[in-house]
Amino acid sequence: MHATPHSSAANQARQASAAHVNIAAYKFITVDDTEALRPRFQAICAELGLKGTILLTPEGINMFLSGPRAAVDNYLAWLRADARFADIEVKESYSEEQSHKRMLVKLKNEIITMRMPLIKPELGRAPSVDARTLKRWLDSGVDDAGKPVVMMETRNAFEVDVGTFNNTLDYRIDKFTEFPAVAAAHKDELAGKTVVTFCTGGIRCEKAAIHMKEIGYDSVYQLDGGILKYFEEVGGAHYTGDCFVFDYRTALNPQLQPTETVQCFVCRAVVTPRQQLAPEYVYEVSCPHCHGSASNT
């Protein structure tokens, strides 16, 4: 079942009724003072009562935060006072509870691990397509040049199983570092087609699409803002299921609302509402994926 695009009135009503705002944002930009920044981020988030995760890396910042509207707005004003982050773009969703239970500020080598240091999105993005244009392409099956459009997953297999675009290429990767080899192996069979890569919020595709251009894909785009931006702009057209997110909500539907899907407390597998009805699913004990395994004996 496909959701209709959000109206501004519906979004305003959701904002007004929700207790917390959940933001996701990233920016590829050289950051050479991550160690000095870390205590500053820790202090401002503690002061404002925000929960979530911030990754500080030499190649930029990635963050998922949750808190009351005023706290989020104050944090963003503080962040954007740093010229490096002044134009950072933020995606929002809303919930009654904070979407994270603790606050972590981590130092990492990469925003998203690909282990290809020559891929530098800061130096220039691969071509992108916005949500409304992509929907129009999927409606007709071809892009504006008349080439067949093919959607390509960059997410891990367990995320894809929660929901994805219809008729998408899913190579069942277990981690993003596997993507470069997979993309290279299937290049020839996609000749003459326009390939649109996508992920949850757009960050993996910043690297994936650049890599694909560099190895010879002649028509490749990244979905700007990822699945969550697509949901925000056009709803669930051409998409089946929900979108896995890395917080307590587990999955969001095309209305950007939490679903009944959960993660198993023991094995971290995704457990659908139907699977939760199975006798093997016991809260915080087991699920159909791990029942009877060594971890539960």
Side-chain angles (χ1 to χ4, degrees):
M1 182 174 67
H2 299 318
T4 56
H6 304 307
S7 69
S8 58
N11 275 332
Q12 289 171 2
R14 190 173 294 115
Q15 291 181 45
S17 63
H20 294 94
V21 180
N22 310 300
I23 61 170
Y26 68 87
K27 185 179 181 182
F28 285 96
I29 186 75
T30 297
V31 181
D32 54 14
D33 57 345
T34 57
E35 290 190 8
L37 284 176
R38 187 184 186 193
R40 294 172 54 196
F41 275 90
Q42 289 172 323
I44 188 68
C45 290
E47 176 186 335
L48 296 172
L50 298 176
K51 300 288 180 64
T53 302
I54 297 172
L55 301 183
L56 298 173
T57 80
E59 67 176 6
I61 187 173
N62 186 22
M63 57 190 181
F64 302 90
L65 294 172
S66 181
R69 173 89 266 172
V72 169
D73 288 346
N74 287 338
Y75 168 80
L76 290 174
W78 173 86
L79 177 68
R80 287 169 171 151
D82 185 325
R84 293 171 294 186
F85 310 123
D87 60 349
I88 195 166
E89 296 185 5
V90 175
K91 290 180 286 295
E92 293 188 353
S93 61
Y94 311 96
S95 59
E96 290 307 310
E97 298 181 59
Q98 283 186 290
S99 60
H100 293 75
K101 301 305 182 184
R102 56 180 178 166
M103 184 66 230
L104 298 173
V105 182
K106 299 180 179 180
L107 302 183
K108 296 283 189 178
N109 292 325
E110 299 180 67
I111 292 180
I112 182 70
T113 302
M114 194 179 198
R115 298 196 182 112
M116 300 193 72
L118 297 182
I119 301 293
K120 296 183 180 295
E122 179 186 2
L123 301 181
R125 304 178 75 204
S128 63
V129 58
D130 64 79
R132 296 182 187 281
T133 300
L134 176 61
K135 180 184 178 299
R136 179 165 54 78
W137 288 359
L138 294 177
D139 286 343
S140 62
V142 297
D143 66 8
D144 293 336
K147 289 186 176 181
V149 174
V150 177
M151 302 296 293
M152 182 184 287
E153 276 281 5
T154 66
R155 298 178 300 160
N156 300 336
F158 77 90
E159 299 172 72
V160 180
D161 290 343
V162 176
T164 189
F165 283 96
N166 301 336
N167 304 312
T168 195
L169 295 175
D170 168 24
Y171 297 119
R172 311 308 293 169
I173 64 175
D174 292 320
K175 52 188 176 180
F176 188 55
T177 51
E178 298 173 6
F179 180 82
V182 165
H186 293 275
K187 178 171 69 73
D188 291 344
E189 65 197 59
L190 295 171
K193 299 179 180 179
T194 287
V195 180
V196 179
T197 66
F198 66 95
C199 55
T200 308
I203 192 167
R204 277 173 272 199
C205 296
E206 294 279 6
K207 290 187 174 183
I210 291 174
H211 172 71
M212 292 170 69
K213 291 288 289 185
E214 290 188 349
I215 65 174
Y217 279 80
D218 60 354
S219 182
V220 59
Y221 294 83
Q222 56 188 320
L223 173 56
D224 201 19
I227 298 168
L228 296 182
K229 188 66 174 178
Y230 185 91
F231 282 176
E232 181 182 338
E233 293 290 329
V234 300
H238 304 286
Y239 192 98
T240 298
D242 304 313
C243 180
F244 180 88
V245 291
F246 289 91
D247 59 53
Y248 91 90
R249 298 171 297 175
T250 304
L252 301 181
N253 62 24
Q255 294 79 41
L256 296 175
Q257 298 167 334
T259 72
E260 297 301 316
T261 298
V262 300
Q263 272 189 298
C264 175
F265 182 82
V266 176
C267 71
R268 307 309 298 164
V270 174
V271 187
T272 66
R274 180 178 293 275
Q275 290 170 328
Q276 292 169 43
L277 299 176
E280 295 85 1
Y281 179 71
V282 181
Y283 180 67
E284 294 191 353
V285 175
S286 67
C287 77
H289 302 282
C290 67
H291 180 75
S293 68
S295 62
N296 282 303
T297 58

